[in-house]
Amino acid sequence: TAGRAPAEAVVDIQADQRANPPPSDSRSVGSGWISASAPRPLEGRTFLSNGSNVPWGLPEGFRVDFAGEGEWKITLDVFRDLGLAFAVALCGIYVLLVYETRSYLLPIVIMLSIPLTMIGIMPGFWLLNALMGKTVGGYADPVFFTATAMIGMIALGGIVQRNAIILIDFIRSEAARGKPLKDAIIEAGAVRFRPIFLTAGTTLLGAWPITFDPIFSGLAWSIIFGLFISTAFTLVVVPVAYGLIYKNKPA
């Protein structure tokens, strides 16, 4: 039944039973029979051509309407709802940063670290499949970007802000003391590298055991890939963006 809907397999077996007379070495079970002979090969068994070569069809005057909550519809609904939740979370982060910084532009610079997580998450799942992808019974068993992985990406929206805030807070403090902006940016990268590296490293190690869970492994991989790449790029992108925007403005 690998790769086939259960109902299709059941109908296929029933069609085999009707098309082939029971052999002498079989016994009756209810309305069907069980054969003691070896099972027939599975080649050619598809939705349109089952094993007994009996064509699929319906009596005249009947039709089939596929309805209900299909798996694909549920998947689309879940990711739609999570996407809306992510948008609401970003708006909430922006409002909090505006309240804290008293600026409408500086929160955007801080939030640049959020899209950087995507540079790590999407290629990270591709790399995970390239290195750890396997097949089960001849069918691919990939590592999917699941709903829990999306939840991990949303959680990263708040986690990665910490690194950008640490950098910009140091830059603004040094600039307020009269240090040139360029020197303050370079010193921020040197002084704040260790606390940023340690906090990101502890988060990565804390997420590692979750990768062994069959349900929440996607959440852990999102945090690991996204935080690793975002931390590395934040050390460069956020200070450079801050310097380009505020280079001609007083401290």
Side-chain angles (χ1 to χ4, degrees):
T1 61
R4 311 177 67 199
E8 178 191 339
V10 171
V11 173
D12 197 1
I13 294 173
Q14 291 178 341
D16 292 341
Q17 294 174 346
R18 294 176 182 274
N20 300 287
S24 57
D25 56 348
S26 65
R27 56 188 176 88
S28 175
V29 178
S31 60
W33 51 269
I34 297 178
S35 174
S37 60
R40 298 181 301 104
L42 297 179
E43 289 78 6
R45 290 175 181 258
T46 65
F47 183 77
L48 298 177
S49 176
N50 55 46
S52 61
N53 295 319
V54 177
W56 292 92
L58 290 170
E60 187 177 353
F62 287 83
R63 75 175 189 273
V64 176
D65 290 328
F66 291 96
E69 292 291 330
E71 183 178 356
W72 182 240
K73 183 179 183 301
I74 294 175
T75 301
L76 292 177
D77 291 344
V78 168
F79 277 95
R80 178 203 62 195
D81 295 341
L82 290 176
L84 293 174
F86 193 24
V88 172
L90 293 179
C91 292
I93 293 172
Y94 179 78
V95 171
L96 289 175
L97 291 176
V98 168
Y99 175 79
E100 180 66 25
T101 61
R102 299 296 189 272
S103 170
Y104 294 103
L105 183 59
L106 186 57
I108 297 178
V109 178
I110 296 175
M111 294 177 69
L112 286 176
S113 56
I114 295 179
L116 295 176
T117 60
M118 302 296 295
I119 302 177
I121 293 175
M122 297 309 174
F125 272 88
W126 173 85
L127 181 64
L128 197 64
N129 280 289
L131 298 178
M132 303 175 60
K134 57 184 180 179
T135 58
V136 177
Y139 291 87
D141 185 28
V143 182
F144 291 107
F145 182 80
T146 59
T148 57
M150 182 72 173
I151 295 173
M153 188 180 74
I154 296 173
L156 278 177
I159 296 174
V160 298
Q161 298 302 301
R162 174 187 55 207
N163 300 333
I165 292 173
I166 289 174
L167 285 172
I168 291 181
D169 180 68
F170 185 91
I171 294 172
R172 299 183 75 186
S173 298
E174 293 300 306
R177 294 190 181 100
K179 182 171 291 188
L181 182 59
K182 181 178 179 180
D183 295 341
I185 290 175
I186 294 175
E187 188 173 351
V191 174
R192 296 301 192 188
F193 174 79
R194 178 176 293 179
I196 289 176
F197 175 79
L198 290 177
T199 53
T202 53
T203 304
L204 295 179
L205 291 176
W208 174 252
I210 310 177
T211 60
F212 300 101
D213 187 273
I215 297 177
F216 293 99
S217 60
L219 182 149
W221 285 120
S222 287
I223 292 178
I224 291 173
F225 290 129
L227 185 59
F228 178 79
I229 298 298
S230 178
T231 299
F233 278 89
T234 297
L235 291 168
V236 178
V237 174
V238 172
V240 169
Y242 185 89
L244 292 174
I245 294 174
Y246 293 94
K247 62 181 179 181
N248 296 322
K249 296 183 179 181

